[in-house]
Amino acid sequence: MPISDPEKLRIAVEHRFNYWICRECGARNPPGAEKCRRCKSKNLRPKRFKR
Ligand SMILES: [Zn+2]
């Protein structure tokens, strides 16, 4: 389903930019996190991409 509301789209994009994904367990972590809050792994990747 396409997002038609530009305000919602903006919020969704900002959220995408705003967290880290754990490569071990796939948990989302807040920006600034150095390790996964679920499994304590430091194997995080940024959830960032350009539109
Ligand atoms: Zn993890």
Side-chain angles (χ1 to χ4, degrees):
M1 186 175 80
I3 301 173
S4 55
D5 187 340
E7 183 69 10
K8 283 181 183 171
L9 180 62
R10 188 183 63 79
I11 292 169
V13 169
E14 281 182 6
H15 277 216
R16 276 185 205 148
F17 271 81
N18 251 341
Y19 57 71
W20 297 78
I21 299 293
C22 175
R23 284 198 179 100
E24 300 294 329
C25 70
R28 278 184 297 181
N29 290 275
E34 285 191 357
K35 54 188 178 179
C36 179
R37 64 185 170 193
R38 186 189 287 173
C39 70
K40 312 300 184 195
S41 167
K42 282 193 170 180
N43 198 359
L44 301 178
R45 64 176 171 88
K47 182 80 173 187
R48 286 176 186 167
F49 52 88
K50 294 187 178 174
R51 294 176 59 221

